[in-house]
């Protein structure tokens, strides 16, 4: 299939048929938001928007998609014929990718005829949810690295091929410098990283022989020194360097096991003693933000952190309580009354207030209210087409993310929960609309 039209839960299509037969096609607004932040997240970082907009622009039902839907037996020919002409025609307001945000704040809002916004539900939740998870996790790891380089080593343990490729883009937004994932690097124009595995060392007659052979082919390598004994491996690398004279035969060494603090210090001492001060030390092997933060806090002499499964799966927070809910239909505000599942009615905007260049408070308001700070949501699609002035390169998104993150309070940027959560409030007008809508629904018996 040439597009993602069938990437939807089945109930999207059963509701679409019902909307079609009941002529329920007036304009509706759906809002995407996270109900509650994961325990170990002080904020989240918006991701996935550009991929989502590309999906929506190309979404259509060709002959193959129609035939597959016909095979279920639940959809009559008039409905299937209607689907042939389906195109998204509405508008989308969204946070720019790289924006830090908090619970209950709209990440995006979609406004279009009801069947159009309904069909997008699964696609929106998946695209935005997954890349937000990845960007948010990577942001923590980059922060823990305190300016040292972070590289993505996680493709092999990611939860699927598509997830690993999409994750490389989200990691780049967060400031991850490179990836070992060839497909991800090519898909998103990212710097590539990686030289050798332990298997190459093991397959050769000796560790020194492996180093010699590899550097003849790749003279600017990073040598993996801990296959047998890390200190002996470092000494073999130094011995190799001495044979090269003025021509340096490798640019770094990698430690993938053991006490990375102690081993990196020993490696730095031996390398410096041999006059190899410019040889970098790369550390990898089960790293997460806590272990990286301990190493940087103790000033371990590590130049590059290769982070794998913990980042590529967001192991401590692999899911989000993310929802896509109807907030207006036919000009009438809508909301749920379910316990613990608040959804704010109407078309909304998020304003961020700053003092001295630092964010101090967010306000969720109605979109047509007078500005109460800097607006964070922008129209990114109109009449089913992307707004060109809201189309950014990955480098621009990364720079915007860095600027936006640095404006958060220091304790919110940290890994530990802040003494008090970042303040997010609801405007008086939105609060009033929520109460009026609730009262009306309860009076009508919903």
């Amino acid at each position: 299939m040439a597009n993602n039209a069938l990437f939807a839960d089945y109930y999207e299509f059963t509701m679409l048929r019902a909307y079609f037969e009941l002529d329920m096609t007036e304009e509706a607004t759906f809002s995407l938001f996270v109900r509650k932040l994961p325990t170990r997240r002080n904020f989240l970082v918006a991701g996935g928007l550009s991929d989502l907009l590309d999906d929506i622009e190309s979404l259509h039902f060709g002959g193959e998609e129609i035939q597959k839907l016909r095979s279920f037996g639940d959809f009559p020919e008039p409905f299937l014929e209607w689907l042939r002409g389906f195109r998204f025609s509405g508008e989308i307001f969204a946070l720019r990718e790289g924006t830090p945000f908090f619970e209950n704040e709209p990440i995006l809002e979609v406004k279009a005829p009801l069947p159009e916004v309904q069909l997008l539900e699964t696609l929106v939740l998946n695209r935005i949810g997954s890349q937000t998870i990845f960007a948010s996790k990577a942001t923590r790891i980059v922060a823990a690295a305190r300016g040292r380089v972070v590289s993505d080593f996680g493709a092999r343990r990611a939860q699927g091929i598509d997830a690993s490729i999409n994750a490389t883009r989200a990691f780049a937004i967060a400031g991850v410098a490179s990836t070992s994932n060839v497909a991800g690097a090519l898909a998103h124009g990212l710097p590539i990283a990686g030289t050798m595995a332990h298997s190459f060392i093991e397959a050769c007659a000796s560790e020194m022989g492996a180093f010699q052979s590899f550097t003849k082919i790749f003279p600017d390598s990073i040598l993996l020194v801990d296959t047998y004994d890390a200190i002996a491996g470092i000494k073999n690398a130094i011995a190799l360097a001495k044979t090269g004279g003025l021509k340096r035969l490798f640019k770094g060494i990698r430690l993938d096991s053991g006490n990375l603090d102690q081993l990196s210090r020993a490696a730095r001492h031996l390398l410096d003693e041999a006059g190899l001060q410019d040889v970098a030390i790369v550390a990898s092997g089960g790293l997460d933000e806590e272990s990286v933060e301990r190493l940087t806090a103790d000033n371990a002499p590590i130049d590059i952190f290769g982070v794998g499964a913990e980042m590529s799966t967001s192991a401590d927070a692999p899911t989000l309580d993310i929802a896509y809910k109807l907030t207006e239909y036919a000009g009438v505000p809508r909301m749920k009354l379910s316990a613990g599942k608040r959804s704010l009615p109407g078309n909304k905007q998020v304003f961020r207030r700053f003092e001295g260049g630092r964010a101090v408070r967010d306000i969720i308001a109605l979109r047509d209210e007078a500005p109460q700070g800097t607006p964070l949501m922008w129209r990114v699609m109109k009449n089913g087409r992307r707004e060109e002035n809201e189309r950014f390169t990955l480098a621009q998104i990364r720079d915007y993310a860095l600027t936006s993150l640095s404006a958060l309070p220091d304790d919110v940027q940290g890994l530990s929960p802040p003494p008090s959560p970042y303040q997010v409030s609801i405007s008086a007008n939105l609060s009033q609309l929520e109460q009026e809508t609730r009262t009306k629904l309860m009076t009508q018996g919903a």
Side-chain angles (χ1 to χ4, degrees):
M1 289 172 286
N3 70 98
N4 286 318
L6 295 186
F7 186 74
D9 290 294
Y10 194 59
Y11 76 176
E12 314 295 359
F13 288 104
T14 58
M15 284 189 287
L16 246 64
R17 177 186 169 183
Y19 293 149
F20 170 72
E21 294 187 6
L22 297 172
D23 197 27
M24 295 177 64
T25 58
E26 294 189 68
E27 275 201 337
T29 298
F30 274 63
S31 184
L32 179 75
F33 59 97
V34 172
R35 290 192 180 103
K36 186 173 178 58
L37 295 181
T39 303
R40 289 159 54 85
R41 298 290 183 272
N42 298 336
F43 59 89
L44 296 169
V45 177
L49 179 63
S50 184
D51 287 347
L52 173 66
L53 297 180
D54 286 344
D55 286 337
I56 293 172
E57 273 194 325
S58 65
L59 192 150
H60 68 280
F61 293 89
E64 184 178 3
E65 289 84 9
I66 294 296
Q67 181 55 38
K68 289 181 182 296
L69 288 172
R70 183 182 288 117
S71 71
F72 291 119
D74 286 334
F75 305 114
E77 290 304 315
F79 171 70
L80 294 175
E81 191 60 32
W82 174 75
L83 280 181
R84 287 185 186 275
F86 187 99
R87 294 291 190 277
F88 181 75
S89 64
E91 65 178 12
I92 298 176
F93 283 79
L95 301 177
R96 287 173 175 160
E97 289 190 271
T99 301
F101 69 93
F102 302 88
E103 57 191 49
N104 289 316
E105 295 184 339
I107 308 166
L108 62 76
E109 292 197 331
V110 186
K111 186 172 185 177
L114 179 57
E116 297 180 23
V117 283
Q118 185 72 69
L119 179 62
L120 298 182
E121 179 178 12
T122 307
L123 186 61
V124 168
L125 286 163
N126 185 278
R127 279 296 196 199
I128 301 296
S130 61
Q131 290 197 44
T132 294
I133 289 170
F134 294 138
S136 302
K137 178 66 172 182
T139 294
R140 289 171 60 84
I141 294 170
V142 169
R146 304 184 189 202
R148 304 183 199 189
V149 173
V150 176
S151 185
D152 161 38
F153 284 10
R156 66 190 58 194
R157 294 187 177 90
Q159 293 165 336
I161 294 173
D162 288 345
S164 70
I165 294 172
N166 292 334
T168 61
R169 182 179 182 279
F171 297 157
I173 289 172
V176 173
S178 59
T179 180
S180 66
N181 185 333
V182 175
L186 292 173
H188 303 299
L190 304 174
I192 197 75
T195 52
M196 63 167 60
H198 294 106
S199 55
F200 183 84
I201 310 292
E202 296 171 71
C204 293
S206 67
E207 183 176 64
M208 176 59 89
F211 290 171
Q212 290 171 332
S213 299
F214 202 83
T215 53
K216 285 180 182 177
I217 302 169
F218 298 104
D220 206 24
S221 303
I222 292 175
L223 300 178
L224 184 56
V225 297
D226 69 339
T227 303
Y228 304 118
D229 176 86
I231 299 300
I234 295 164
K235 291 179 178 178
N236 277 334
I238 291 170
L240 175 66
K242 290 179 178 179
T243 68
L246 295 177
K247 183 180 179 182
R248 190 185 64 180
L249 297 176
F250 58 93
K251 65 180 179 181
I253 63 167
R254 179 159 72 96
L255 300 164
D256 191 52
S257 60
N259 186 317
L260 294 175
D261 190 339
Q262 293 179 7
L263 288 174
S264 65
R265 293 180 194 279
R268 188 74 274 160
H269 173 75
L270 291 169
L271 290 166
D272 289 354
E273 193 175 55
L276 299 172
Q277 291 89 348
D278 61 339
V279 170
I281 297 175
V282 181
S284 58
L287 295 173
D288 62 8
E289 58 264 50
E290 276 78 19
S291 56
V292 170
E293 186 177 52
R294 285 193 297 270
L295 289 165
T296 56
D298 292 340
N299 203 29
I302 296 168
D303 303 290
I304 301 170
F305 292 99
V307 185
E310 290 290 328
M311 187 165 73
S312 66
T313 63
S314 186
D316 64 325
T319 63
L320 290 177
D321 186 6
I322 190 169
Y324 179 78
K325 297 301 176 187
L326 178 68
T327 62
E328 185 177 278
Y329 177 58
V332 179
R334 311 285 172 150
M335 62 183 287
K336 290 180 66 172
L337 300 181
S338 308
K341 293 192 173 183
R342 183 187 197 184
S343 59
L344 296 170
N347 298 281
K348 295 171 291 296
Q349 174 62 275
V350 182
F351 296 101
R352 183 157 291 167
R353 288 187 175 175
F354 295 86
E355 293 180 3
R358 286 297 182 100
V360 295
R361 178 187 177 195
D362 285 5
I363 302 166
I364 308 172
L366 294 171
R367 193 176 303 155
D368 59 3
E369 287 193 56
Q372 301 182 46
T374 300
L376 299 184
M377 299 180 73
W378 302 89
R379 188 170 64 192
V380 296
M381 182 168 275
K382 180 182 179 181
N383 298 326
R385 307 301 297 174
R386 294 186 66 165
E387 294 274 29
E388 289 301 319
N389 63 334
E390 287 296 317
R391 192 189 293 268
F392 302 105
T393 67
L394 194 52
Q396 289 173 321
I397 295 169
R398 182 173 58 242
D399 291 345
Y400 171 77
L402 177 63
T403 301
S404 300
L405 291 164
S406 65
L408 294 177
D410 289 338
D411 56 1
V412 174
Q413 292 184 50
L415 302 187
S416 301
S420 56
Y422 183 82
Q423 186 177 359
V424 178
S425 61
I426 296 175
S427 72
N429 288 346
L430 178 54
S431 181
Q432 181 180 349
L433 180 64
E434 180 184 27
Q435 185 56 50
E436 289 173 353
T437 304
R438 180 185 300 276
T439 300
K440 181 179 179 181
L441 289 170
M442 293 179 70
T443 301
Q444 294 175 344

